[in-house]
Amino acid sequence: MSEDKKLILVIGGTGAQGGPVVKALTSDGKYAVRVVTRDSSSTEAKGISSIPGASILEGDTYNEATLRKAFTDVDYVFANTNGFAIGEKAEIFWGIRLYELAREFGVKHFLYAGLEYASKLGHFDPKYRTGHLDGKDTLVFAVPLGDGLCPLIHLDDYGRYARWMFDTPSESSGLNLHVGTEDIAWKDLATAFTEVTGRKAIYKDVGLDEYFKLGPFPNPDAKIGRSSGLDDPTLVSFRQNFSGFWNTWKDNLTKRDYKLLDTILPDRVKSIKEWMIKTGYDGRRAFVLKGASS
Ligand SMILES: NC(=O)c1ccc[n+]([C@@H]2O[C@H](COP(=O)([O-])OP(=O)(O)OC[C@H]3O[C@@H](n4cnc5c(N)ncnc54)[C@H](OP(=O)(O)O)[C@@H]3O)[C@@H](O)[C@H]2O)c1
């Protein structure tokens, strides 16, 4: 490693979002990257180990001792905490703790991967409280979105936005950058799907009760977070969390600044249709989240 190569700690680097960040940061040898994972023998961790400039530190991110090792000698931090794994309360705690450690260890740039504060945007109406944020003949995109728009992101661009933030601290410090490829209505998603795959598709606007009956979550009333076994009353269920999630997009509480996003990455993927073509999407279901296979 050259003397002046900055070392970036990536929390969540083995995940669907962290992976492209690691890729973007190590693409040209400018940065070295350290990734924390509980299992250095996972496919994702092995993939990272094989990248020049990337190293693995084995341990649990949500553990002070691991973090103290992880923060040693790092210049910058990218942190994508996992609320689905640890629950809302623990995610808030660890978000604060990561920032405190960043200050203690003299980190020069701390990039926290957040989401819309939906409750605040919705004036604290509980309907927006979001704990984180068929293949017959016709595919039915059935979600409770009404005419609302939902932002989707090409993950490689997500990684490149993170990289831009580290490359340009004078512009990115303090910036709350809301990234996205396109804010899209689900009827337009169905149209793009048909145009690219040739398969028929429709959008069906459903109510929240019907949506949860359709089975996006095996047990919608299970609590989110690994401490749920402790019967922590502050944990929210998938039903509560994803009711807030869909209400937030349905009522268009937030919008991205695509002019700014174009300025940052002029060659970004600009539409979901373009993403489908670029990635060779064929309409088959695939899983991008680490560990997800059903
Ligand atoms: N997926 C989305 O559409 C989306 C959109 C916006 C925001 N987010 C946010 O992104 C976060 C999830 O990231 P992702 O989408 O990249 O998910 P992912 O692919 O499931 O990544 C999971 C990451 O979390 C770590 N992890 C999982 N369970 C853990 C546990 N019990 N203890 C410690 N670490 C654990 C994994 O590390 P190991 O290597 O140790 O397993 C891995 O790095 C969530 O907070 C979510 O709110 C997701």
Side-chain angles (χ1 to χ4, degrees), residues 185-256:
W186 248 229
K187 69 171 176 29
D188 296 332
L189 181 65
T191 303
F193 177 92
T194 299
E195 284 172 0
V196 174
T197 67
R199 294 171 58 190
K200 280 192 235 161
I202 55 162
Y203 165 49
K204 185 177 178 211
D205 182 22
V206 295
L208 285 164
D209 286 344
E210 189 183 350
Y211 170 72
F212 287 109
K213 274 194 203 128
L214 289 169
F217 305 101
N219 179 3
D221 295 311
K223 302 281 182 160
I224 295 177
R226 65 178 168 181
S227 54
S228 55
L230 301 173
D231 199 20
D232 181 335
T234 71
L235 294 175
V236 295
S237 66
F238 287 93
R239 186 187 301 277
Q240 289 168 316
N241 187 82
F242 283 94
S243 294
F245 176 86
W246 288 111
N247 284 336
T248 298
W249 309 120
K250 182 174 182 171
D251 292 349
N252 291 314
L253 295 194
T254 173
K255 207 176 172 327
R256 264 123 281 278

Side-chain angles (χ1 to χ4, degrees), residues 45 49 61 91 125-127 153 162 165 170 172 190 194 197 202 212 256 264 273 291:
S49 304
T61 295
E91 186 171 36
D125 182 329
K127 77 183 261 201
I153 177 80
M165 295 196 85
S170 60
S172 68
T194 299
T197 67
I202 55 162
F212 287 109
R256 264 123 281 278
I264 296 172
K273 186 175 173 186

Side-chain angles (χ1 to χ4, degrees), residues 12-18 37-38 60 62 80-85 91 115 132-133 226 288-290:
T14 56
Q17 295 180 72
T37 177
R38 294 164 299 158
D60 187 336
Y62 309 104
N80 183 27
T81 51
N82 193 334
F84 289 112
E91 186 171 36
L115 282 168
H132 81 288
L133 237 203
R226 65 178 168 181
V288 295
L289 294 183
K290 182 172 184 291

Side-chain angles (χ1 to χ4, degrees), residues 19 34 107 119 161 187 266 280 294:
R34 177 183 292 160
V107 168
S119 290
Y161 282 119
K187 69 171 176 29
S294 58

